[in-house]
Amino acid sequence: MLTYVLRRLGLMVFIMLGVSVITFSMMHLVPGDPAEVIAMERYGEEITAETIEHVRRELGLDQPIYVQYSRWLSNVLHGDLGYSHRTDRPVLDEILTRLPATIQLALAGMLVSLIIAIPVGTISATRQYSAADNISMFGALLGVSMPNFWLGLLLIMFFSVHLGWLPVFGRGSIEHLILPAVTLGTGMAAITTRLIRSSILEVLGQDYIRTARAKGLKEKVVIYKHTLKNAMIPVVTIVGLQFASLLEGAVIVEVIFAWPGIGRLLVDSIFARDFMLIQGCILFIAAMFVLVNLLVDISYAYLDPKIRYEVK
Amino acid sequence: MHDLVTKIIESRLPSTEVFRGLRKHRLALIGAGIILVLIFIAILAPFIAPHDPIEQNLEHRLLPPNAEYPLGTDNLGRCILSRLIHGTSVSLQIGVIVVGIAATTGVTLGLIAGYRGGLVDELIMRIVDVLLAFPGIILALAIAGILGPSLYNVMLALAVVGWTSYARVVRGSVLSVKEKEFVEAARALGAGEARIMFRHILPNVTAPVIVMATLGMAHVILAAAALSFLGLGAQPPTPEWGSMLNDGRAFMRTAPHLTIFPGLAIMVTVLAFNFLGDGLRDVLDPRLKGAAR
């Protein structure tokens, strides 16, 4: 187990280095001279050549690229992601202020998704090819295909504008959380339902289930005690894999519902051309994603001993 | 001998078998039917759209569906139906271009990585690992955001993000195919590396690529619409479904049709590609085929 964890940690360090190279390179994707663009964003259109040079020196853009990268990486490792030119606050502070809102939304979305997916996936698998199965699988495809930004708008139209039951924007009470969480969770539930269904179907085909049935156990016991328990192991991976969709979905959901999370911060920073903040958000989100994947892999290896001995 | 090898390869993916399999898959047929209709709509858009999609008519703004404007008009008095019809070609083009670039790049690099192995494989697959460490849409969002809002930048960003999954799947398939006897036979006959990779191995790894590309169309159309919805993709007055939805947000109370119809168009299109992709997966996935027998 320890070897496995160490190997995964080594891989994570490598991946994070790669992530840092890509994130750093993004600054150089800015069309034109980055120093000039940043100077214009900071000080307005009428800037002098001196101002541009000042910005270039300040950001170290006059140095060779490898020096720029190593300096940037060293700063990042010390928790310095630069300053937002819009608010003049450290990028890391901006992100950490918004983090609880995103985590709250992601957890609520995941909860909604599991509340829908576990029962529907179970019914679908245990009654394979029945009308219930066909309807749930059709519903799942519908859910995967429905743009979450459209679903969000429809929910707002119905529950907020038409019925007036729930608030449209912002964060505060539990009422504020319902629509964003349902929007985020529904799309994910579609994918999770299919995965849970196939996971249960796989377990149902195992010899020990046949044995349990041959012993004359009641179908309920076979399903709840023998099948579900084993089928839920991959759910850990599912939940982990869904983290990417959660973060992706959260960006749009946060924009629609004016939810003050990292996704909305990223979109706002893009429109404000706040490059340091864009860079910081991307790096932070990728780091979160890599870390969650690592935790999922480790917990999965803990739950399923076969993985530990798997030769890659 | 060469002919024999080619015949063996071709017999592995008989298209008649695929069609026969798809015929039994009702949802896949529905999906294929919808896609055909969408292609016709896209091609015939200038002839079937009742109005000019970008012509503004402020006297007719925010009209509900009526005889002259079957799906109503937007805040600038433009015909929603005409904009949706022209938007079909925009969305399909985005899908085809992005999936085309991503699949070509991913398949080529996956082939090279799997066939060559060693350092080249390590390099390509580690790049894939690193790119997959970013949630796809968020990376695309950042790339498109930094390059500046435009449909081309969105397509570029989605292609940069999208090739990795093709590379990973193709590499995996190549690893098993390259050990097969017909590859050895081709090598013994003196075929060059490129010929072995593209003429002998590639046809044997196309099945998962076809499935991925079909499902990829659904994903790309949805992602591009999302980025346009956020204001990063198509710019006014281009009739793009995602940006139409964004335009309609401000009028949810007074003109809900601005929100309902573009979303419906996105969903139906994405659903059609998902139906077809699902059907193709059932027909082409050898594991499921084995299980069925």
Side-chain angles (χ1 to χ4, degrees):
Chain A
M1 184 73 188
L2 189 67
T3 325
Y4 177 80
V5 173
L6 287 176
R7 209 180 65 190
R8 294 288 309 151
L9 272 175
L11 192 64
M12 187 188 108
V13 170
F14 169 80
I15 286 179
M16 276 318 294
L17 265 178
V19 164
S20 74
V21 171
I22 291 181
T23 316
F24 170 78
S25 315
M26 275 184 179
M27 195 65 117
H28 296 267
L29 280 178
V30 178
D33 176 4
E36 192 181 335
V37 175
I38 292 167
M40 271 165 64
E41 293 300 337
R42 271 191 197 171
Y43 308 109
E45 297 281 322
E46 289 176 17
I47 38 162
T48 58
E50 284 81 36
T51 316
I52 297 172
E53 283 315 306
H54 172 75
V55 170
R56 199 187 308 281
R57 270 196 309 278
E58 184 199 320
L59 296 176
L61 293 169
D62 54 342
Q63 301 289 320
I65 196 98
Y66 61 89
V67 176
Q68 289 181 39
Y69 172 69
S70 55
R71 190 181 287 172
W72 176 79
L73 187 63
S74 149
N75 287 343
V76 167
L77 290 173
H78 287 94
D80 176 10
L81 297 176
Y83 279 79
S84 155
H85 80 71
R86 207 161 43 112
T87 59
D88 262 339
R89 287 182 62 201
V91 167
L92 192 62
D93 285 2
E94 289 280 354
I95 294 173
L96 291 177
T97 315
R98 305 290 195 105
L99 184 63
T102 296
I103 290 180
Q104 185 191 24
L105 178 61
L107 289 178
M110 188 165 278
L111 188 70
V112 170
S113 130
L114 291 176
I115 287 174
I116 301 172
I118 292 179
V120 177
T122 311
I123 292 170
S124 202
T126 48
R127 296 179 197 163
Q128 202 185 0
Y129 303 130
S130 67
D133 182 26
N134 288 338
I135 292 171
S136 348
M137 285 305 98
F138 182 79
L141 262 182
L142 206 65
V144 174
S145 309
M146 185 184 271
N148 60 358
F149 43 97
W150 187 50
L151 176 65
L153 295 179
L154 291 182
L155 290 175
I156 290 177
M157 255 162 57
F158 191 70
F159 290 102
S160 307
V161 176
H162 186 64
L163 296 174
W165 286 357
L166 294 164
V168 183
F169 303 122
R171 178 179 178 234
S173 64
I174 193 86
E175 280 89 6
H176 284 96
L177 185 59
I178 295 175
L179 289 185
V182 170
T183 308
L184 190 57
T186 312
M188 270 178 40
I191 306 168
T192 319
T193 305
R194 286 165 66 125
L195 293 170
I196 287 180
R197 177 183 179 268
S198 59
S199 169
I200 293 177
L201 280 177
E202 205 179 312
V203 174
L204 281 174
Q206 300 292 322
D207 287 342
Y208 59 83
I209 297 297
R210 202 169 303 140
T211 311
R213 281 186 174 140
K215 279 198 303 186
L217 287 183
K218 280 184 186 161
E219 192 60 16
K220 260 189 186 165
V221 180
V222 174
I223 300 295
Y224 291 106
K225 206 168 168 198
H226 296 254
T227 310
L228 273 187
K229 217 169 162 186
N230 286 300
M232 283 305 130
I233 294 178
V235 172
V236 176
T237 317
I238 295 167
V239 169
L241 289 174
Q242 297 262 309
F243 193 69
S245 335
L246 263 177
L247 287 176
E248 286 176 351
V251 173
I252 304 219
V253 172
E254 285 178 7
V255 171
I256 295 174
F257 292 96
W259 188 264
I262 297 176
R264 181 145 182 256
L265 182 69
L266 173 64
V267 175
D268 287 347
S269 65
I270 285 173
F271 285 107
R273 318 267 313 145
D274 194 338
F275 297 110
M276 286 290 183
L277 199 49
I278 299 176
Q279 210 176 27
C281 286
I282 291 295
L283 188 68
F284 193 85
I285 290 173
M288 245 176 16
F289 185 42
V290 171
L291 194 69
V292 169
N293 272 343
L294 175 80
L295 292 177
V296 168
D297 279 355
I298 291 175
S299 59
Y300 197 45
Y302 177 74
L303 290 170
D304 187 351
K306 273 189 289 180
I307 306 287
R308 274 177 253 165
Y309 305 111
E310 180 195 50
V311 180
K312 211 177 170 185
Chain B
M1 180 69 185
H2 235 113
D3 283 349
L4 184 68
V5 172
T6 314
K7 266 184 192 163
I8 293 170
I9 292 166
E10 280 171 357
S11 70
R12 293 176 158 263
L13 190 73
S15 48
T16 45
E17 199 183 317
V18 174
F19 285 122
R20 206 174 301 143
L22 271 185
R23 275 214 315 246
K24 288 182 202 151
H25 209 291
R26 210 180 313 151
L27 287 183
L29 280 185
I30 295 175
I34 297 174
I35 293 167
L36 271 179
V37 171
L38 289 170
I39 292 172
F40 276 117
I41 292 178
I43 295 171
L44 301 174
F47 309 105
I48 55 174
H51 297 273
D52 184 328
I54 53 174
E55 191 187 284
Q56 302 180 8
N57 187 347
L58 293 175
E59 281 172 18
H60 290 167
R61 63 194 297 266
L62 297 174
L63 288 180
N66 59 59
E68 195 187 349
Y69 299 100
L71 300 183
T73 58
D74 67 6
N75 55 321
L76 296 173
R78 295 173 299 194
C79 169
I80 299 280
L81 177 63
S82 305
R83 289 181 66 72
L84 285 182
I85 287 175
H86 281 270
T88 313
S89 106
V90 176
S91 283
L92 290 185
Q93 279 182 49
I94 295 172
V96 170
I97 293 172
V98 173
V99 169
I101 296 173
T104 312
T105 314
V107 169
T108 309
L109 291 176
L111 264 177
I112 295 172
Y115 186 74
R116 281 287 193 82
L119 201 64
V120 179
D121 181 26
E122 274 295 315
L123 185 71
I124 294 174
M125 294 326 288
R126 292 301 78 83
I127 293 175
V128 169
D129 282 345
V130 169
L131 281 174
L132 285 175
F134 294 93
I137 292 194
I138 291 180
L139 183 58
L141 180 78
I143 295 174
I146 288 176
L147 290 175
S150 95
L151 208 49
Y152 292 107
N153 290 340
V154 161
M155 290 198 277
L156 180 71
L158 289 173
V160 167
V161 173
W163 67 270
T164 48
S165 34
Y166 293 92
R168 185 172 263 194
V169 168
V170 168
R171 174 188 173 267
S173 306
V174 171
L175 285 181
S176 64
V177 171
K178 76 171 183 182
E179 303 300 333
K180 296 271 163 68
E181 282 164 1
F182 64 87
V183 176
E184 222 167 283
R187 204 175 291 133
L189 285 170
E193 270 193 351
R195 189 179 168 83
I196 294 178
M197 275 195 275
F198 290 97
R199 185 84 185 84
H200 297 297
I201 296 182
L202 183 60
N204 285 278
V205 297
T206 44
V209 174
I210 292 170
V211 176
M212 283 180 74
T214 314
L215 294 171
M217 283 288 292
H219 179 75
V220 166
I221 290 173
L222 201 55
L227 294 178
S228 289
F229 175 77
L230 292 175
L232 287 170
Q235 298 300 304
T238 311
E240 201 275 342
W241 296 339
S243 53
M244 284 173 74
L245 207 47
N246 191 24
D247 294 342
R249 274 169 77 186
F251 307 96
M252 269 194 293
R253 195 180 291 267
T254 49
H257 61 278
L258 295 190
T259 307
I260 293 170
F261 296 124
L264 212 53
I266 300 171
M267 192 177 74
V268 169
T269 309
V270 173
L271 194 62
F273 280 103
N274 276 333
F275 278 166
L276 183 61
D278 252 26
L280 283 170
R281 182 167 47 201
D282 287 351
V283 176
L284 294 172
D285 192 324
R287 279 174 306 161
L288 290 177
K289 262 169 83 180
R293 277 171 197 165

